[in-house]
Amino acid sequence: MLSPRWRKVWRDLWSNKTRTLLVLLSIAVGVTAIGMVMGAQNIVDESLPAAYAAVNPASGTVFTLNTFNDAMVESIRRMDEVGAAEGRRYVNVRFLDKGGEWRNLQLYAVPDFAEITINKLKPEQGEYPPGKRGVLIERASFSEVLGLGDVQIGDTLTVEPPDGKPRELSIVGSVHDMSQLPAFINGAGYGYITYETLEWLGEGRDFNQVLFVTAENKLDYDHIQDVGKLIEQRLERSKVTVIFTLIFSPGEHPAQNFLDALSLILGAIGLLSLALSGFLIVNTLSAIMTQQVQQIGIMKAIGARTGQITGMYLVMVLAFGLLSVLIAVPLGAFGAVGLAALFGGMLNFDVGGFQLQPRVVLIQLLISLVAPLLAALLPIWRGVHVTVREAISDVGLGKGRFGRGLLDQAIVMLRYVVPLDRPAQISLRNTFRRKARLTLTLITLSLASMIFIAIFSVRASLQQTLDDALRFFDYDVQIIFDRAYRTDRIVDQVQGIPGVDTVETWGFGTVRRIRPDETESDSIIVYAPRADSAMVQPIMAEGRWLHADDLNQVVINTEVLRNEDDLKVGSLITLNIDGKERDFQVVGIVRGVLTGPNIFMNYAGFGRVTNAVSRAQLALIRLDNRSPENQLALGNLLEEAYRSSGFRVQQMQTIAQVRTIISTVFNVIILFLLFMALLLGFVGGLGLMGTMSINVLERTREIGVMRAIGASDRAVLRIVLVEGIIIGLISWVIGGLLALVASQMLTNTIGRTLLQAEPSYIFSTGGAFLWLATVLILSVLASLLPARGASRLTVREVLSYQ
Amino acid sequence: MFFLPFFRRANGKTDGANGHAQPSVNGQPRALIQLNNVVKAYETPAGKFMALKGVNLTIDRGEFVAVVGKSGSGKSTLINMITGIDRPTTGEIYINDEAIHKLEEGPMAVWRGKTVGVIFQFFQLLPMLTCVENVMLPMDFCNVYRPTERRDRALHLLDQVEMVDQADKLPSEVSGGQQQRVAIARALANDPPLLVADEPTGNLDSKTADSVFQLFQRQVSQGKTIVMVTHDAELAKRVTRTIIIADGEIVSHDEVHTQPTLSSIPADQAEANAAVAALR
């Protein structure tokens, strides 16, 4: 049999269901968020590293320009530093998608599917290995974005390899290749074929890739780099040109930085939700205690001690915590699985099914009980220590002291500055009557405002970063050939085609810097535009761009400085090009945008050093009409023009396509951020609703008096609504000011995690005004229910309100 | 019908604290309530306000006292002094041999729970507890009577105020007058020697007010002491003594009546019940 005091606690929980629901939601929001984020993190940590390790990922992959044979692979395999090595042949083909558009497909020819030991493939469906004229498509490549949307096993693709002759390739199965960057980040799908099929496609039975695993120190990035260089040198000694060596962070999934960016955001969401939860709880519990004041007085009058009363309310808070656990634990667990599955889908790995993770549940339980208790301490303390006399002699109108401080007097003085009518003055002054409560509400709403606006700035900044990157290289269509051709041939072939504005052939290659201490840097890509190139719009950070007559001068981008931080404008830089060491002078530094470390030199200078003065492998074309549709149409036309004249085309890509690929990645991040913004808006709205309803409750008698002196329903409604709107507006101003700082911090953090580079930064005033509209709507909605309740009270009810 | 002596307090002492012989001081029986030069001053934004300006008051056991005065006269403040709800700025207050002006909040609450039954103008029952649960609440807080006995005792008290049939109803389900009766039963829960009521009939119609007053008279006849603030001059005529207070000072201690209207302790309960019932 429960004693009366516990029956009171129990029934108090259920007496005001809306209030209870509000408290439960406040607690559950934070606890669920933590559960989801931690749970998803755990699931990913359990699934991903093991699955990735199981495919025996390559320590590094060396990509070469020209091909080599089996003997070379064998000699690499026999190197002491190399534990295992495999050769593959990469060839880029284009295929016709269902809509009749040409799309790119990256094919990898594997010598023996049964003997793969590095970057193992896992068969999913259909045949394995693929038969002649068959291809296995990587499972995540079956997507609309890559042109393989409504394609199935059993379909045939019309492909055009570099030799230009179309062939029918059958899709005979699907595989899972965890070693690749997810296809949507890559921008083209992956396919796997046998060497027989490769031959049938008109290519030789040779290799242009070697996958290697080091013999020791498999997790040491520097060691892997060293081994990679040894392999490169061996290749170069045999006249094989190395393009670059791809080394992912050892042991980490290729898209780890993308995952990290998402985890960062989610972690922030979790913590922020918890913090805001805390403020909400404090506010709501204060409101509850205020409502309970009279009852506390009665209980004291009939003999209850402070300790007993405190115990009652602590138990009530504990009950709230336990009830929230019932909501938050299942929700968090489902959310975690959903989130992990989302990651898995995006990054192409498998996650387990639904499971309750004991560690996560325990933490959720702890937070759910401890956080409300901590938040409740002050409100309960204050409520319980009200004297009996204060508690039961609740005469007069309203609580809170308005009128004494400087702030209050300033608010009253506002009537000379802002022409508001008396009811609006009431709203304005009412806002400031309960300053502690106002502060708590403002903290919650302002934080929400700040993050919301900051998120829009991140979005704008990422898009600006992309724009800057694409403007840097100001062309429309890029065509990469399989081998070098004479530049005049390349230009003449398409210059006359209507719609073509300019054709440029740039030099393109890789170099290494020889540092003063004789060590070598990583491969750095060199672009050698024409001196008068119209297609590059550099954003100079320091110094100057190349002049027409520069021969030994170079411009480096800021990405180079990350590893070669001793370089400055005016420095001498020694580069190893084509096996020869040459000295150049740095005359300028440009902002690197998404292209990694680059060095720029004039075409004439580059040609002199590489003896390739009149040959090129890269054509950049600018069109008259620069729209994305025209880029695609003309791009296809140009590719056709080259192929039909015997040029071996590796890849055609429009700038619009590049933009789409990168945008897709950004959009995922931005979607997560927007979700965060919505969540915060919701929590802020909850906070405001709680505040408004308790404000109205406390002023019930005042409202009655106003009604008695002639206030209509609408007048009362308006007074409450305007108060809510004023609070919303103040939080917008505070949040907006905070956002000026927070936006930059958030943008830089996300930019660095995702892009490993400083992004361009823009403050989104559009976002600020969007939030203004949102907060106004939120304020109205949050105040509406309490306001309507207030306007419906009759004078009689109200003035006899106890 | 249950007999009061049947119930034992948790500390083992038997009931019936009222009515036995007082230890005497200087040959005089010691008063239940003694106020010596009690002053109460409040700080208000408009300056210092003297609610009580040096009040001296003695109330003996078994008295039925009415405190009468206009609004702002200090009568509620005086009552709050007696119940310990408020503290004097200066002066001494002895109630039931306890110097309550020296008590801290904690011991004060304990003392109050066992010594004073407070009845307010607005009934102030806890809205989410039923009538019987409200009556049980003081026993729960002060830990008197064995837990298994508390409900029965509460029902007995409700029976005394004729509310036993509504025992399991919520306050919102009964009338104002009925709520006040429950409040009285609650005030009696811990069997305190003193009942203090602040305008107990202020919100009731005259018939209900009358029946409540009868209840008070019955309690006095059973040995309780009652101090009641009222502005109802008619009721004031029916008590044993009236104290008139104005501007923070007692202006009259006079004993207006020497005996209550129901002048004799009823020979048996049945007769008393019949008399009470006849007046309803």
Side-chain angles (χ1 to χ4, degrees), chain B residues 116-133:
Chain B
V116 187
V118 189
I119 299 155
F120 303 98
Q121 179 178 10
F122 297 102
F123 329 109
Q124 290 163 346
L125 301 174
L126 294 191
M128 80 297 299
L129 292 179
T130 62
C131 293
V132 68
E133 287 165 348

Side-chain angles (χ1 to χ4, degrees), chain A residues 40-254:
Chain A
Q41 194 77 55
N42 276 0
I43 294 177
V44 169
D45 286 344
E46 274 168 31
S47 324
L48 186 53
Y52 186 58
V55 307
N56 195 21
S59 304
T61 308
V62 183
F63 293 82
T64 64
L65 197 57
N66 48 342
T67 57
F68 52 93
N69 61 13
D70 210 28
M72 173 56 73
V73 177
E74 188 53 41
S75 90
I76 293 174
R77 205 175 279 136
R78 276 190 259 116
M79 285 165 69
D80 289 330
E81 300 84 353
V82 173
E86 278 180 29
R88 291 204 189 160
R89 179 74 148 88
Y90 157 80
V91 59
N92 188 63
V93 302
R94 65 175 191 166
F95 68 94
L96 274 175
D97 70 12
K98 287 269 161 76
E101 302 278 330
W102 286 109
R103 310 295 284 260
N104 284 311
L105 183 65
Q106 295 180 353
L107 291 180
Y108 294 87
V110 176
D112 189 343
F113 277 84
E115 294 283 315
I116 301 178
T117 56
I118 308 178
N119 287 358
K120 292 191 233 192
L121 300 173
K122 196 160 78 92
E124 292 266 307
Q125 290 179 337
E127 288 177 27
Y128 186 92
K132 187 161 181 198
R133 310 190 188 188
V135 64
L136 299 172
I137 302 285
E138 211 284 329
R139 70 180 197 181
S141 299
F142 287 104
S143 107
E144 190 57 48
V145 170
L146 304 166
L148 293 163
D150 41 7
V151 152
Q152 290 162 339
I153 298 176
D155 289 355
T156 41
L157 287 179
T158 307
V159 301
E160 228 184 64
D163 73 356
K165 299 200 195 66
R167 295 173 179 78
E168 300 287 307
L169 195 60
S170 275
I171 301 177
V172 295
S174 65
V175 288
H176 182 200
D177 185 354
M178 275 196 75
S179 65
Q180 300 274 26
L181 262 184
F184 83 97
I185 297 180
N186 184 42
Y190 305 113
Y192 303 85
I193 54 177
T194 59
Y195 264 71
E196 264 193 311
T197 312
L198 178 68
E199 221 179 9
W200 170 69
L201 288 174
E203 299 288 321
R205 279 181 168 259
D206 41 27
F207 303 94
N208 61 6
Q209 265 188 1
V210 59
L211 287 57
F212 69 92
V213 175
T214 56
E216 306 170 321
N217 296 345
K218 296 201 172 107
L219 295 177
D220 184 344
Y221 184 83
D222 293 327
H223 176 73
I224 298 175
Q225 264 200 321
D226 294 337
V227 176
K229 284 195 193 139
L230 289 174
I231 297 178
E232 286 181 16
Q233 284 161 8
R234 184 172 287 248
L235 287 164
E236 278 159 11
R237 279 202 295 273
S238 302
K239 302 282 181 223
V240 179
T241 312
V242 172
I243 302 180
F244 75 112
T245 302
L246 178 64
I247 301 174
F248 291 124
S249 258
E252 276 183 10
H253 187 273

Side-chain angles (χ1 to χ4, degrees), chain A residues 27-41:
Chain A
I27 304 174
V29 157
V31 180
T32 305
I34 295 281
M36 262 179 74
V37 170
M38 282 189 68
Q41 194 77 55

Side-chain angles (χ1 to χ4, degrees), chain A residues 7 11-12 300-301 308, chain B residues 86 112 122 128 133 140-141:
Chain A
R7 287 194 219 183
R11 288 189 211 149
D12 268 342
K300 282 192 173 183
Q308 289 174 315
Chain B
D86 203 353
R112 190 187 305 123
F122 297 102
M128 80 297 299
E133 287 165 348
D140 181 26
F141 280 132

Side-chain angles (χ1 to χ4, degrees), chain A residues 301, chain B residues 83 112-119 186-188 192-197:
Chain B
T83 55
R112 190 187 305 123
K114 295 196 176 144
T115 314
V116 187
V118 189
I119 299 155
R186 182 183 69 187
L188 293 169
L194 174 63
L195 289 181
V196 173

Side-chain angles (χ1 to χ4, degrees), chain B residues 191-217:
Chain B
D191 198 24
L194 174 63
L195 289 181
V196 173
D198 192 345
E199 311 260 17
T201 57
N203 255 25
L204 306 175
D205 63 85
S206 55
K207 225 169 69 149
T208 323
D210 206 51
S211 73
V212 164
F213 192 78
Q214 308 280 355
L215 280 168
F216 283 161
Q217 286 179 317

